Structures are given as structure tokens and as C-alpha cells.
Amino acid sequence: MLTNKAMSDVIKCDPCAYEDNITYAQKWCTTCEEGYCADCEKVHRSLKMSRNHNLITMSDYQKNKNVSVSQTCVEHKKGYDLYCSLHDIALCKDCVDQHKTCSKLLSLDKAAENSKQSTALADLEDKINGALQNVSKFKKKEKLNEEQFETQENLIKKNIKETRKNLNTHLDFLEKQMIINLTEQTMTCKSTHCSNRDQWHLVDQTLKQFKEKIETMKKKASDAQVFLGTREMDKMVSAEIKFIKTTITDAKHFGITMTVDPTITSLLDCTNLFGTLSVIERKSELQFKDPKLDQAQSQVSDSAKGSNTVIGLQLKHKFRIEIERRSSIPSCLILPNGHKLIVNTHGKGCVMELNEQGQYLRNIPCSDNPFYITLIDSDRIAVTHISSRNISIINLYSAYVIKIPVEHDCRGISYKDGKLYVVLTSGKGIVVLDLSGKVLNKIKYDTGNTWVIATYKNKMYIDGTDTVKCFSLKGESIYGIYWHSENNMRGPAGLAVYNEQNVFVACNDSYNLLIIKQDGKKKKSKFLLSLRDGLHMPRAIYYDRDRNELLVCNECDGNAAMYTVTEG
């Protein structure tokens, strides 16, 4: 017995139904849009007018029936026979009058030939696949954001508990210090009062003795003795009274009071909240990327930036970074929103964030003094630290930080396709890590004079003593791609890759910025900026490929500038 769902999926044979016979269809004609039983199918195939119609099984029809493709003219209620390629529209016979002047009328069958292999269908599939890829990326991004909510909540809870614990510890310390101070003050006051009390006790005893002597003289002494004794004792009593008066004048009485520090009372008066929670709302930086457009742009980019391209810089604006004396700016980058991140090695353990115009916005705290930075995505950066054997992955918009320990101190760092390429000190080479800290590869190379690293496509570029060398991402030396001091390069301190053939180099010793080019077997270099352009020991540079802009920062004086890269 068929279920309700199965009953709804059963299709009746249309010709049989026309004769009031109930028969279930076994085939479906996509041309006539009717179902046929086995007998009616034979008749349908035998007729000349329907011999070439496309018949499919009912199971295939059930799969495709949700794809609503009308083959009937909505206006005239007749089947489509023709196709106007000029207007890209299907026509029935009655629609033809409206397209008499159109020169590109075809039969629908002719127009539909090989439609399953058509570029239009392939483009549609690519468009859907591209949309699915974008949606998948967005879903992953949203999932990551959701996970970060929980992480942020746990971090805030931990912060609240730690703050409460620190407050308790500090209050305990203050209480202990206050009790000690109170005890000392009380003992001082008690000591003074005891001394006064002893003095009054002596005075009291002395006066009582004088009184007893007078009583004795009155009873037993002669008049002469009383006369002389009275005068003698009067002098003694007068001296004692004088002492009493002096003591009373100098006497001090103590009382201890306490005033609670205003900071403590203000905390007690805080009846609202333990702290303030702020939800940071910002525009999504997700971008819908058309795979075909990206491919076309890549092809155009590769052809446009050929070996014969002349590259120059056009000043966009200059700005000054407020840094402390003896500070150094070893690295920088540009965020997708146009903000700039600047590393100040002698700052307060932070990375500075500036707006698009170069104005200070905030400090991004770091657990250790930052050194070199690289961009992972719109929310995260990776940071190496001075004399600290770890790398930090910092979320720019939360307190979430991942610490990755490494075997040696680190210098330059670059991110590429889920991997971190890190220069180790003391000639220990280059280590390749994933974002969890797993070591994927160790590239043996004497990095004693290597500070910076830059990656692009399947290559990486590193500096040396008046040299810039190129390797594959696996660490294989690429023969011929090697620049040295003969190419007017002294003290390379910053690298930014323009394309596979052109690399920007900031030269710290020669106070200039040049672009080096590999044109076949020829090595070329061209000065772009010099001391006259305000370069004074340039070091930190960053090329923003999306904006086609180059950020250049001097190492010590805080001067920086943005340039638009031009081609001619």
C-alpha cells in the first residue's frame, strides 16, 4: 500500500486519463510535459511528430521536477517553437509577429543543440560553484566568529575573576599594612599615656606625704618647729605645684581616628557594575570574489607587469609617527580596512594602529616587546618578539592571543597559505610552522645576517649582507635570482614583493629605496626614493596589492609616507 508521500509522487498516464482510464505513467516526455504508460509510450514513439521527443524514466523525472522550466508561452498558452537570439527569448508561433524585424530567429531545437555542452551552461555552473565557494568561506568565517565569542566570553570571565582576586589580594595587603600602622600608633600613644600616668602617680604620692607631715607637725611638733616647717614645706609644695602646672600645660591627650582612602570609598560607592562591557560593531570585511574575475585579473596582472614594465612611485601623503627616543620601527603593514600597524620596539610592548591618514588610534598590547609582524587575515596578525622564543597570533578585535613556542629567538616573519615562515637567529635557518605551531619544515641556511623575509606565490625573498636572495618555499635556492651590492644596494633592511620579477628594497645604509628586477638572466635595479625624498635609514616597508600602495617608514625618526605604485 502506497504512503501519502508515495501517492503524491505517482504520476498518471495523461492519454489514459483523457479516456477516463487510471493508469500510472512509466515514462515522462520532457517535450510534451506528459506522463505515459508502457502502451501509450509505444504509440508516442511510433508517431512521426513525436518520434524524436525526449522520454525519461519517472525516477529521473522525480529528481528534475523541482527544476521549474516552462516550455509554454505565458501570454498565448502555446508551446515554444522558436528562439530569438537578438532578444535572448523563446517564442511561440503567435509571438513571431512581434519579432518580424529580428534577423536572428532560430528553431528552438536548433538553438538548443548541444546545450548540455554549451559555454553558457558551463558558465552557470562556474557561477554557482563560485557562489558556493564564497558562501562556504563566509560560513567558515562566521563559525570562527562564533567560536571567538565563546573564547572572548571565557577570557572576560577569567579577567573578572583575576581582577577580583587581585583586588582581594591587594585589599588584604592594605588591611595588613593598616593594622600594623594602627598597632604602632596605638603603642606610641599608650606609651605616652603611661608616662603621664606614672608622673601623676609620683606627684600624688608626694602631695600625700606633705599632707601627712603637716598632720604630724600639728600634733607633735612645737610651735617653733611648726613655724619653720611650714615655711620649708611651703617652698617644696610650691615647687611641686609649679611642676604640676608645667606638666598640665605640656600634657597631650591622643585619640586615633581613621579616614578611608577616597579610592576605596569610590569602589564602595560603585553600585552599578563590576566593569563595562562593550560590543564592538564594525562592518564586515568579507568580499564576494568572482572566480572568473579573479582569474582574468590575474592574467591581466601577469601580462601587464611584465619584464618591460617601468615601475615608479607617486607620493600620496606623508605623516609622522610619535615614537620615544631611541625607538626603532622594524616592520609595518596595512590592514584590509586601510589602517596601518606600526611596530615600535622600544614602546610599551605594543603595536601601534594608525588610521588611513596616519593618525594614532590605539596601542594593541603584546605580552612581549614586538619585533616583526605579518598579516594573517583581516582580524589576525602574527608577531615575533625581541629575545623571546615565541610567536604570538593576536586577534585585533579581542583579547584572544595564541602563543607558539620556538626553539630559538626570532626575527622576520611572513604568512603564506596557512603557513608561517620565520627567520631564526644565530644562523639557525628558517622554520615553517602552521598556525597551531606544528613544525612543517626546517630550512637550513646561515641566517646570521638575515633579518627580513617576504613570500609571494611559490617564492620567498630574504636579505643578507648587501644582498637579496630568492628561494622556493621549500628552501631550494633559485639559480640566478640573486642581487648584491653591485646593484647599488647597501644595507637592505626591508623587503616588499611587487611581483615575481620585481621586489622593493629599503636600504638602511644608503638611505634609499630601490626596486630590483630579474629580467631573464639580467639583474637590474632602479632608485625610486632617496635622502632628498625624506628617507633617513628606511627599514619598514609594506606593499598593499589590493590598493596598489607602498608604505615606507624610517627606522628612528618616526617619518613615514604612503606612495601609489605607477607603471609606464
Side-chain angles (χ1 to χ4, degrees), residues 534-568:
L535 264 65
H536 182 80
M537 298 178 66
R539 183 173 179 181
I541 61 174
Y542 185 84
Y543 175 61
D544 187 330
R545 193 161 279 103
D546 292 331
R547 288 178 170 78
N548 196 33
E549 293 178 347
L550 183 71
L551 172 60
V552 182
C553 303
N554 288 340
E555 181 175 5
C556 299
D557 65 7
N559 288 319
M562 285 291 299
Y563 295 89
T564 301
V565 181
T566 61
E567 295 181 5

Side-chain angles (χ1 to χ4, degrees), residues 89-150:
I89 188 172
L91 308 172
C92 70
K93 292 180 180 179
D94 292 347
C95 295
V96 175
D97 291 339
Q98 303 172 18
H99 295 264
K100 287 181 178 181
T101 58
C102 297
S103 59
K104 296 184 179 181
L105 289 179
L106 301 172
S107 68
L108 185 59
D109 291 339
K110 182 69 175 176
E113 281 183 358
N114 300 318
S115 59
K116 292 184 179 180
Q117 289 79 37
S118 67
T119 56
L121 182 60
D123 288 345
L124 178 60
E125 288 179 325
D126 289 342
K127 187 181 292 185
I128 293 172
N129 289 334
L132 286 172
Q133 290 174 6
N134 278 278
V135 171
S136 176
K137 180 178 68 176
F138 299 158
K139 286 170 65 179
K140 289 180 181 178
K141 184 70 174 178
E142 291 302 322
K143 184 179 179 181
L144 179 63
N145 288 340
E146 289 178 9
E147 292 173 353
Q148 287 179 351
F149 290 149
E150 184 175 351

Side-chain angles (χ1 to χ4, degrees), residues 481-496:
I481 305 184
Y482 165 67
W483 296 266
H484 47 80
S485 56
E486 294 177 8
N487 297 89
N488 304 313
M489 183 168 53
R490 289 192 293 116
L495 300 176

Side-chain angles (χ1 to χ4, degrees), residues 195-209:
S195 177
N196 291 339
R197 184 189 60 196
D198 291 344
Q199 285 181 346
W200 293 124
H201 178 71
L202 290 173
V203 169
D204 181 68
Q205 292 298 320
T206 300
L207 292 175
K208 285 181 179 178
Q209 289 175 2

Side-chain angles (χ1 to χ4, degrees), residues 276-305:
T276 302
L277 296 175
S278 300
V279 177
I280 302 173
E281 182 177 337
R282 55 193 177 89
K283 290 184 178 180
S284 172
E285 294 172 353
L286 296 174
Q287 295 180 347
F288 189 96
K289 293 188 176 181
D290 188 335
K292 281 188 172 293
L293 182 59
D294 284 350
Q295 182 179 3
Q297 288 176 340
S298 177
Q299 292 172 350
V300 170
S301 174
D302 290 341
S303 61
K305 299 178 180 180

Side-chain angles (χ1 to χ4, degrees), residues 22-41:
I22 305 300
T23 309
Y24 296 116
Q26 296 183 4
K27 293 291 180 69
W28 179 267
C29 178
T30 60
T31 307
C32 300
E33 294 188 336
E34 287 187 335
Y36 294 95
C37 65
D39 293 335
C40 292
E41 177 196 349

